[in-house]
Amino acid sequence: MKIISKNFKLLTVFLLVLGLTACSDDDDNNLPPAEPMTIVDVAIENNLTSLAAALEATDLVSTLQSEGPFTVFAPTNDAFSDFLTEANIDLSNMTATEIVTVRNVLFNHVIAGATITSTDLIGAGSGYVSTEAAGVAGNNMSLFYNFTEGSVVLNGMSTVTTADVTASNGIVHVVDEVITLPSIVTFATADPNFSNLVAALTADGQPDFVTTLSLPNGVTPTPFTVFAPVNTAFQALLDSNDNWNSVADIDSDLLTNVLQHHVITEANVRSEDLSDGMMPTTLEGDMITINLPGNDGNPAKITDGAGNTDIDIIAADVQAINGVIHAVETVLLPDTTN
């Protein structure tokens, strides 16, 4: 009897505990669901307080709490502090102009309508995407990414240090530098496909192309439209003359004219602005002729000042803050007889 009594007591205690547990489970089931973690919540959760403060100061919190999806490259506190110090901006006491500037810089870290993972970026290797920042005439700014030396780098200046922090309305990648608004020069130097062009622009005896093509929009002769030859185009140019082993071997004045023949000033001519037969005048002075469409599905083809035809635009609309770049497959040559 004692054994039965003892077992009965234990059974009673067990049932009581089971009942309490069941009640506790029912209570848990009745709790409201956890609030979703938006991009802004993720920034705060990961101690990106400077970014959160900047979003608040520029009235962008509600934007990044909306449905999205967004891909956001989020600068660390140190990175944002360095940017504000260099720009001499105090978030708590900004002028209207400074608010617009900081807001556009922040938008340059945001890609709307897509959740882009580090696997996507690494798999692609390199490329361009459009951010929410406004370039010339409000056109969305481009962002160049490439996977180099084991890291994803943005516009040649900012490296992803922590990737794939997920949010309910997108994804966050932490970066070590603020991605400032890019100029024509930013993309030319960031994209390895233009390394031969950069070598030509900076060759001995050339005008200060870097300073000119870095001018802020609104300063004459901005904005620029640049038809940028890729590396293979410059190599083909060198191969066309037995005396040219590098751009340094090309006569300085000739090289200047050739480079200026790729630039249209005071115009941000995007692919949608091109029309069949249009003949813009280049910085060098000769006109080029645009025909639509290009070959092999490319958007347009060019006849240069020397009469060379069927030069395809192979990548279009790399939008900077002071102009736009179109990559071309062949170096454009001016009319040297005039």
Side-chain angles (χ1 to χ4, degrees):
M1 288 295 295
K2 288 183 180 179
I3 294 175
I4 295 173
S5 175
K6 183 177 180 181
N7 288 341
F8 180 79
K9 290 178 181 179
L10 289 174
L11 179 61
T12 302
V13 171
F14 174 74
L15 292 173
L16 178 62
V17 171
L18 185 63
L20 290 173
T21 302
C23 290
S24 175
D25 287 342
D26 288 341
D27 289 342
D28 288 344
N29 291 334
N30 292 328
L31 289 175
E35 289 292 323
M37 292 277 287
T38 67
I39 296 288
V40 176
D41 298 321
V42 166
I44 295 171
E45 184 80 8
N46 287 270
N47 196 36
L48 301 172
T49 52
S50 292
L51 172 62
L55 294 173
E56 180 71 29
T58 55
D59 197 26
L60 286 179
V61 171
S62 59
T63 299
L64 292 183
Q65 286 179 329
S66 62
E67 184 176 356
F70 302 102
T71 298
V72 175
F73 298 99
T76 63
N77 288 340
D78 286 344
F80 215 90
S81 177
D82 289 345
F83 163 73
L84 293 174
T85 299
E86 186 173 341
N88 195 27
I89 292 175
D90 179 357
L91 284 181
S92 64
N93 186 31
M94 289 191 291
T95 66
T97 299
E98 288 172 338
I99 291 173
V100 170
T101 298
V102 174
R103 185 182 176 92
N104 209 28
V105 169
L106 289 170
F107 269 141
N108 200 43
H109 296 73
V110 178
I111 301 165
T115 301
I116 303 174
T117 68
S118 60
T119 302
D120 296 329
L121 296 171
I122 292 169
S126 65
Y128 291 89
V129 291
S130 293
T131 74
E132 289 300 284
V136 181
N139 291 298
N140 289 85
M141 208 91 71
S142 297
L143 178 71
F144 175 73
Y145 64 89
N146 62 328
F147 183 64
T148 177
E149 297 181 359
S151 300
V152 174
V153 180
L154 308 163
N155 283 0
M157 66 178 70
S158 185
T159 301
V160 174
T161 56
T162 302
D164 300 331
V165 185
T166 58
S168 60
N169 61 341
I171 195 166
V172 174
H173 306 290
V174 181
V175 295
D176 63 356
E177 296 286 343
V178 169
I179 310 168
T180 52
L181 302 177
S183 69
I184 295 290
V185 172
T186 302
F187 291 124
T189 55
D191 190 340
N193 290 303
F194 299 135
S195 60
N196 287 345
L197 171 61
V198 172
L201 292 169
T202 57
D204 290 343
Q206 292 308 299
D208 191 354
F209 283 114
V210 172
T211 297
T212 300
L213 294 175
S214 299
L215 288 172
N217 192 46
V219 177
T220 304
T222 66
F224 303 104
T225 300
V226 177
F227 299 96
V230 294
N231 288 342
T232 52
F234 266 98
Q235 188 58 53
L237 176 66
L238 295 176
D239 292 343
S240 70
N241 189 314
D242 291 339
N243 296 320
W244 293 345
N245 295 311
S246 71
V247 292
D249 297 323
I250 302 175
D251 175 79
S252 182
D253 289 339
L254 173 60
L255 182 58
T256 300
N257 288 329
V258 168
L259 292 171
Q260 290 178 336
H261 193 57
H262 292 78
V263 180
I264 301 170
T265 60
E266 301 185 37
N268 190 84
V269 184
R270 293 175 58 86
S271 59
E272 60 265 28
D273 303 318
L274 299 175
S275 59
D276 191 43
M278 71 184 295
M279 299 178 68
T281 301
T282 67
L283 178 60
E284 172 268 335
D286 288 337
M287 291 185 292
I288 58 175
T289 302
I290 309 292
N291 288 112
L292 306 180
N295 303 297
D296 302 321
N298 289 311
K301 56 191 175 185
I302 300 172
T303 299
D304 64 21
N308 299 301
T309 62
D310 282 345
I311 299 170
D312 270 351
I313 294 176
I314 55 177
D317 300 333
V318 178
Q319 184 66 61
I321 192 64
N322 64 342
V324 65
I325 297 174
H326 307 294
V328 293
E329 63 177 351
T330 303
V331 173
L332 307 180
L333 299 178
D335 182 1
T336 57
T337 63
N338 57 14

